[in-house]
Amino acid sequence: MILLQSHSRILIETLSNRVQNLDKAVELDYNWVEFGDIRYHVQVSAKNPNVLLLSVSLPVPPPETVFVGGLPYGAIEAIKSAYGSVVQILDPPRDGFNLTLKINLAKLPTDEERKQALLMKIASVREVVLGAPLSVVLKHLLSRTVAPGLDGLLALVHRPNESFFLFPQAERVTVVYPMRFSDSVDTTYAASFLQEFVETRRTAGLTSAPVCSWSPDPPPELKEASAEPLSANAGFVSFVIYPRHVEGGKLDRTVWNLSTFYAYVSYHVKCTEAFMHTRMRRRVEGMIQALDQAKPETEEKTKSPNNRSFKRLSIKEGRTNSKS
């Protein structure tokens, strides 16, 4: 099963090429969209080739999500903690974007390994920004506390119409995903996939993984949620995160896996649908081949004017028959 990468491939290629050619005074002006919802803009001026401006446009959040100043809760602190003095947040951001970062490439570490790690972290700005509220909650879980102001039901968003919920407690955090699909076939595949996903979690080799459950009805944690998120036609998936799941350097990976779980399920649902279509096409082709092989082989016959078939004889055969 595939796990999505946290960094933008186009952004990491752009950053790496710019770092390798800092001595060249070139101008860059790139725009692109990833996943149909995140828009990036990279700009470099020839007058100052060491400075790169990165603007990011985030998906429009549903009304139940927590956004402060156009950014998720804790995003500013997460950016400062992840990038340090290399990155400066411009206020206000560029028009049409939620965030603009001024990246001073001359301040990158001289050590090649640390430099590449920081570039990869910059290319993972989507994870840093959108995963900030979840990161804050899970960091407090390490200390067995609840973040101030985040002690109730908290709604987060990673893509449009794909919000999920956190229910923080001192000893654990419950993460609930209302699974919603527009296509009826996708809904059926998703419900079957999620039930199998839960059953796989119970195998002996996955005892240390977070507790996972699926239900067609909303769990008790969503009793305070509005009616719109509860209209999930593929059921509700719940994970229970304990401190052991975020300690020892596991925090960033846990944040990303939880943030992209909806996309993870959607990807495998589409793969299942494509696999089923391939199997059906192969089966139809096999049936057509069997029918072609079952057709009787007809001998080529010459018909008489009275529609009677006869066999042509050679001249020698005709003389032999007349003598007899």
Side-chain angles (χ1 to χ4, degrees):
M1 292 185 178
I2 190 172
L3 293 175
L4 300 178
Q5 295 178 335
S6 60
H7 63 273
S8 167
R9 294 184 62 181
I10 298 178
L11 183 53
I12 188 62
E13 290 176 4
T14 303
L15 291 171
S16 299
N17 291 336
R18 186 81 284 273
V19 169
Q20 294 171 5
N21 299 279
L22 283 180
D23 55 333
K24 298 180 180 179
V26 297
E27 291 188 0
L28 296 180
D29 195 350
Y30 292 165
N31 277 284
W32 73 94
V33 178
E34 291 186 352
F35 295 103
D37 57 357
I38 295 286
R39 185 161 59 98
Y40 296 91
H41 179 258
V42 169
Q43 188 175 24
V44 177
S45 172
K47 297 180 180 179
N48 196 357
N50 291 337
V51 174
L52 183 145
L53 296 180
L54 171 62
S55 300
V56 183
S57 176
L58 303 176
V60 178
E64 67 270 9
T65 55
V66 179
F67 265 50
V68 180
L71 293 173
Y73 178 87
I76 299 297
E77 292 75 11
I79 292 171
K80 293 179 179 179
S81 175
Y83 305 136
S85 60
V86 177
V87 173
Q88 178 184 356
I89 302 174
L90 298 186
D91 189 22
R94 182 175 177 174
D95 290 342
F97 293 88
N98 299 80
L99 176 69
T100 298
L101 302 178
K102 182 179 180 182
I103 305 171
N104 191 339
L105 301 177
K107 292 185 177 182
L108 290 172
T110 56
D111 180 71
E112 190 63 28
E113 185 175 350
R114 292 177 55 202
K115 179 190 297 183
Q116 290 301 321
L118 184 55
L119 291 176
M120 190 68 71
K121 194 69 175 177
I122 296 174
S124 303
V125 62
R126 175 189 179 124
E127 173 194 10
V128 174
V129 174
L130 291 179
L134 180 56
S135 181
V136 171
V137 171
L138 295 182
K139 284 180 180 178
H140 279 270
L141 178 63
L142 278 172
S143 58
R144 273 72 171 179
T145 59
V146 178
L150 301 178
D151 52 350
L153 188 64
L154 178 64
L156 305 181
V157 63
H158 193 75
R159 292 188 62 193
N161 301 321
E162 296 181 4
S163 57
F164 60 101
F165 296 86
L166 303 182
F167 189 72
Q169 295 174 290
E171 297 295 331
R172 64 181 185 180
V173 174
T174 304
V175 188
V176 183
Y177 299 86
M179 306 304 296
R180 186 183 301 105
F181 294 86
S182 57
D183 186 79
S184 59
V185 176
D186 290 352
T187 302
T188 303
Y189 285 149
S192 178
F193 174 82
L194 292 170
Q195 293 178 62
E196 186 67 24
F197 187 89
V198 172
E199 290 297 326
T200 303
R201 160 62 182 80
R202 297 173 182 172
T203 57
L206 298 175
T207 54
S208 60
V211 177
C212 177
S213 61
W214 176 88
S215 173
D217 302 317
E221 288 82 4
L222 296 186
K223 61 182 179 180
E224 299 178 2
S226 59
E228 177 63 23
L230 301 182
S231 59
N233 53 13
F236 300 82
V237 181
S238 300
F239 291 96
V240 180
I241 308 299
Y242 292 99
R244 70 174 185 271
H245 298 130
V246 293
E247 60 189 9
K250 301 177 184 177
L251 177 63
D252 290 344
R253 193 59 182 169
T254 301
V255 168
W256 178 248
N257 288 341
L258 292 174
S259 299
T260 58
F261 178 74
Y262 206 118
Y264 168 86
V265 175
S266 299
Y267 174 85
H268 286 90
V269 166
K270 290 301 181 183
C271 287
T272 302
E273 188 173 0
F275 175 75
M276 295 294 290
H277 288 174
T278 302
R279 289 288 302 272
M280 286 189 290
R281 283 193 294 268
R282 289 179 180 174
R283 186 170 182 179
V284 170
E285 291 172 358
M287 294 174 66
I288 292 175
Q289 292 178 0
L291 289 174
D292 290 340
Q293 295 174 359
K295 290 180 179 179
E297 297 181 1
T298 57
E299 295 182 0
E300 184 180 356
K301 297 181 179 180
T302 305
K303 299 293 183 178
S304 66
N306 296 328
N307 204 25
R308 296 178 180 177
S309 63
F310 64 93
K311 183 179 180 182
R312 290 186 180 275
L313 300 177
S314 64
I315 298 176
K316 184 180 289 186
E317 288 179 351
R319 291 175 179 176
T320 303
N321 292 338
S322 62
K323 290 180 181 181
S324 63

